[in-house]
Amino acid sequence: MNGLLQFAREDRGFPPSLFPDYRATVARSPREALVHMPQTLTEVTGPGPVWDKLMGPAIHDLTTQHKGAPLGQRIIVFGRVLDENARPVPNTIVEVWQANAAGRYIHRKDDWDAPIDPNFTGAGHVISDAEGNYRFISIRPGAYPWGNHKNAWRPAHIHFSLLGPAFATRLVTQMYFPDDPLIDIDPIANAVPLPYRDRMVSQLDMATTTPNWALAYRFDIVLRGKNQTPFEE
Ligand SMILES: [Fe+2]
């Protein structure tokens, strides 16, 4: 039972499984009481130290994966992975994926009328260092329409997946930008109530912003505790 209580999502500002304004949750949220599934050895221990090999070399610069530079505003996205006592969490695989500057993903299901950028794939991964730091170079993604309701547009966002030593430690969230008025009217962002929602909003960081090169946004990710970053299911 303790295990179930530990994962009472709504109590910690996590988005609920059912949030009717976010239409897809109506069909996919559970109708029956949840059944506790104990984790087995595979989820708790695998795949462990072979992650590095499975993931391939780190990709921290999403702007140099192709012949030319992608269109859009270059940004540095960085931060620390932290535990409930603000201690750094090293060796966490931090993956990101995002739309291009026009708001288009390279995905067969993304067919809205915005251009694909041949110089931008929009996915990368790194491993947090001994101080829990991670850092990406990318371009600022554009907003995109998503058909949830009339005139629905997602605020600019970067998807994050964090993976510790085992499958059971995967956490997924989204990072937003601090100057985006779409956040307040976005059902996905609003599935997370304030003040927890603000933990998914990055901060402009002028100390890391590089003159004549790139704006920097800090996004610290807290894995547990009262300051925990809200995570998706
Ligand atoms: Fe997205």
Side-chain angles (χ1 to χ4, degrees):
M1 192 62 193
N2 275 342
L4 287 176
L5 288 176
Q6 194 183 343
F7 289 97
R9 303 174 51 80
E10 289 84 346
D11 292 348
R12 291 181 296 162
F14 282 26
S17 301
L18 175 62
F19 190 74
D21 284 355
Y22 177 6
R23 260 185 10 209
T25 69
V26 174
R28 75 180 182 211
S29 55
R31 294 282 177 282
E32 306 289 335
L34 299 182
V35 176
H36 182 55
M37 299 282 287
Q39 288 165 350
T40 65
L41 202 60
T42 307
E43 286 95 40
V44 176
T45 63
V50 301
W51 266 134
D52 269 0
K53 291 194 182 72
L54 291 175
M55 299 289 294
I59 299 171
H60 86 278
D61 190 344
L62 281 64
T63 69
T64 55
Q65 291 181 277
H66 300 276
K67 263 189 187 161
L71 294 175
Q73 182 182 22
R74 191 184 297 112
I75 56 173
I76 299 165
V77 176
F78 74 105
R80 297 175 82 196
V81 183
L82 300 166
D83 73 7
E84 66 271 42
N85 295 313
R87 289 176 302 208
V89 181
N91 300 319
T92 301
I93 295 176
V94 182
E95 278 181 277
V96 292
W97 64 98
Q98 64 165 91
N100 68 21
R104 179 90 185 255
Y105 287 99
I106 295 187
H107 191 281
R108 62 188 165 78
K109 284 193 170 173
D110 188 348
D111 58 0
W112 84 281
D113 184 16
I116 284 174
D117 185 338
N119 290 314
F120 192 70
T121 302
H125 66 269
V126 297
I127 295 178
S128 63
D129 69 13
E131 296 303 315
N133 293 299
Y134 73 88
R135 180 175 180 271
F136 291 100
I137 299 164
S138 189
I139 50 99
R140 182 164 168 149
Y144 59 79
W146 64 301
N148 181 74
H149 55 277
K150 189 171 180 227
N151 216 6
W153 292 77
R154 295 292 336 274
H157 60 277
I158 297 179
H159 296 270
F160 271 74
S161 163
L162 279 78
L163 203 49
F167 292 119
T169 60
R170 186 171 188 225
L171 298 166
V172 177
T173 191
Q174 295 184 25
M175 183 202 101
Y176 298 99
F177 291 85
D179 53 354
D180 192 340
L182 290 171
I183 297 170
D184 285 344
I185 54 173
D186 174 54
I188 292 181
N190 280 273
V192 177
L194 288 170
Y196 307 105
R197 189 187 313 151
D198 287 340
R199 297 176 188 171
M200 301 187 298
V201 180
S202 59
Q203 294 172 319
L204 177 67
D205 187 298
M206 289 310 291
T208 305
T209 287
T210 307
N212 301 318
W213 196 69
L215 288 174
Y217 292 90
R218 170 183 282 279
F219 184 53
D220 289 338
I221 299 157
V222 181
L223 301 178
R224 291 180 294 270
K226 64 179 172 52
N227 296 319
Q228 184 168 18
T229 307
F231 295 106
E232 300 170 12
E233 278 187 272

